[in-house]
Amino acid sequence: MREIDENHRAIAGLWLPLVTPFRDGALDEASLARLVRHYCEQPVEGLILAATTGEALTLDAGETERLVAAAAAARTRALPLFLGLSGSDTRRLAAKLEATEAWPVEGYLIPAPYYVRPSQEGLRRHFEALAGATDRPILLYNIPYRTGVAIENETLLALAELPNIAGLKDCCRDPQLSFDLLCRRPAGFSVLTGEDALFHGALCQGADGGILAAAHAETRLFAAVRQALLAGDRAGALARWRPLFELARLLFAEPSPAAVKHWLWRTGLIDSPEVRLPMTGVSPALAGRLDAEIVRRGTLAAAYQRLPSLPRGAERGA
Ligand SMILES: O=C(O)C1=N[C@H](C(=O)O)C[C@H](O)C1
């Protein structure tokens, strides 16, 4: 049976897979520090560095290390940092995990191996080996449409028995499978959705939170959806969610994170919207829609003030 390490807090609430700012081809540490300081003031429970949104596959080892060090140094509160690590060679990935032992991160987000399409037994043994290579908590990441292989619920439940397999970032895009997992998961195994447009639905099914690139924008409002549900205010949650659903779709209208970076650039949080190839910047048409939405939301923010307020302290997280 799973033993929950007292040091491993349950992972819940709104987590942000932070973009990696670039300027003139290099890691932009000034923008990174500005971003981290900004999100330290928002109701987020943690940051994930070098995940999909962080364009991890374009970072070299030195840049990833600098990214982590700079983000950790910029924190103005004890905001947990998780590191995205991916790979399709179990031995090399375990070595990468060990190499980050002294880095200032609290845990890892690790997707299924991509391209090679292993069996469920292969997936189980892969993650068992990784769990054995660190004492830190690991969030599994099931995103079959990116990796080419699904981690099935039976495999997830077997892995959930390991003490440092702390939970799942769920991007299976099948609400029935997600609900089946939520019904059968052991205590202490967190499930957070990584499907931005499904955030409200996942919370209603019992998910613990979300890891959402779209929450770079309107962060407080994303957090408020969950807080309203926790407070039993279903109508308030839905009222807050409707405009966020449209925003999430807009920010994913073209391959992510180009739109998120455009938004952050236009709102002054990063100095450049640069992405690294093979990702490309937003099209002129999407840039126009994003700019119009940024302007429109200036007005929307006022409308939110008129919604019934949440219980005291609720917006800060559970
Ligand atoms: O950065 C991530 O990791 C995220 N993954 C999902 C994806 O791969 O598209 C989306 C989520 O918002 C962030």
Side-chain angles (χ1 to χ4, degrees):
M1 200 45 194
R2 176 188 173 83
E3 275 175 40
I4 301 162
D5 181 339
E6 292 288 304
N7 297 321
H8 295 166
R9 286 172 297 158
I11 298 165
L14 182 63
W15 283 62
L16 203 66
L18 201 70
V19 297
T20 304
F22 301 123
R23 189 160 185 187
D24 301 327
L27 181 64
D28 175 1
E29 291 190 32
S31 292
L32 175 66
R34 190 181 311 127
L35 274 182
V36 172
R37 285 195 300 269
H38 171 75
Y39 291 113
C40 279
E41 288 172 9
Q42 301 288 315
V44 297
E45 307 300 328
L47 299 179
I48 316 253
L49 303 173
T52 316
T53 309
E55 297 172 82
L57 296 180
T58 72
L59 300 175
D60 63 38
E63 285 175 324
T64 308
E65 190 165 3
R66 276 199 291 129
L67 170 75
V68 169
R75 284 179 293 188
T76 55
R77 67 174 162 104
L79 187 65
L81 298 180
F82 271 44
L83 176 65
L85 274 186
S86 63
S88 299
D89 171 351
T90 309
R91 276 190 315 171
R92 226 182 312 167
L93 195 50
K96 264 203 215 176
L97 259 179
E98 283 162 3
T100 64
E101 202 180 315
W103 294 16
V105 294
E106 277 73 32
Y108 301 96
L109 174 70
I110 307 184
Y114 43 85
Y115 187 74
V116 291
R117 306 187 73 227
S119 66
Q120 293 301 304
E121 186 196 342
L123 289 170
R124 182 180 51 72
R125 288 171 55 188
H126 172 78
F127 283 112
E128 278 171 3
L130 300 179
T134 179
D135 290 331
R136 289 175 173 151
I138 293 176
L139 272 176
L140 306 173
Y141 184 6
N142 187 27
I143 184 156
Y145 57 86
R146 284 197 192 276
T147 60
V149 67
I151 317 175
E152 293 173 5
N153 282 354
E154 297 309 324
T155 308
L156 291 168
L157 290 167
L159 289 167
E161 294 299 323
L162 301 176
N164 65 333
I165 297 288
L168 171 72
K169 175 180 175 190
D170 179 18
C171 287
C172 77
R173 284 192 177 165
D174 180 338
Q176 288 193 47
L177 280 180
S178 298
F179 190 55
D180 174 63
L181 182 72
L182 286 163
C183 291
R184 296 197 289 144
R185 64 176 165 156
F189 181 78
S190 301
V191 177
L192 286 83
T193 185
E195 289 298 326
D196 301 54
L198 298 182
F199 182 49
H200 176 264
L203 294 175
C204 290
Q205 286 195 330
D208 300 298
I211 300 175
L212 309 175
H216 279 83
E218 304 287 23
T219 313
R220 284 184 191 285
L221 299 177
F222 274 94
V225 171
R226 176 167 178 267
Q227 293 308 328
L229 284 172
L230 289 178
D233 178 10
R234 285 195 305 159
L238 203 54
R240 286 168 173 83
W241 173 244
R242 280 196 191 103
L244 293 179
F245 171 68
E246 292 304 331
L247 177 65
R249 293 211 298 187
L250 181 64
L251 291 171
F252 279 84
E254 291 178 6
S256 187
V260 173
K261 282 188 150 178
H262 181 91
W263 186 286
L264 294 172
W265 171 56
R266 297 297 259 172
T267 53
L269 279 168
I270 59 178
D271 292 338
S272 160
E274 262 177 72
V275 289
R276 281 184 173 168
L277 283 170
M279 306 316 280
T280 51
V282 292
S283 64
L286 184 57
R289 288 173 63 201
L290 289 163
D291 291 350
E293 188 60 16
I294 288 168
V295 172
R296 201 178 71 82
R297 282 194 172 258
T299 320
L300 256 189
Y304 276 110
Q305 307 302 324
R306 293 194 293 275
L307 285 170
S309 58
L310 292 168
R312 218 130 88 82
E315 304 242 351
R316 289 285 330 150

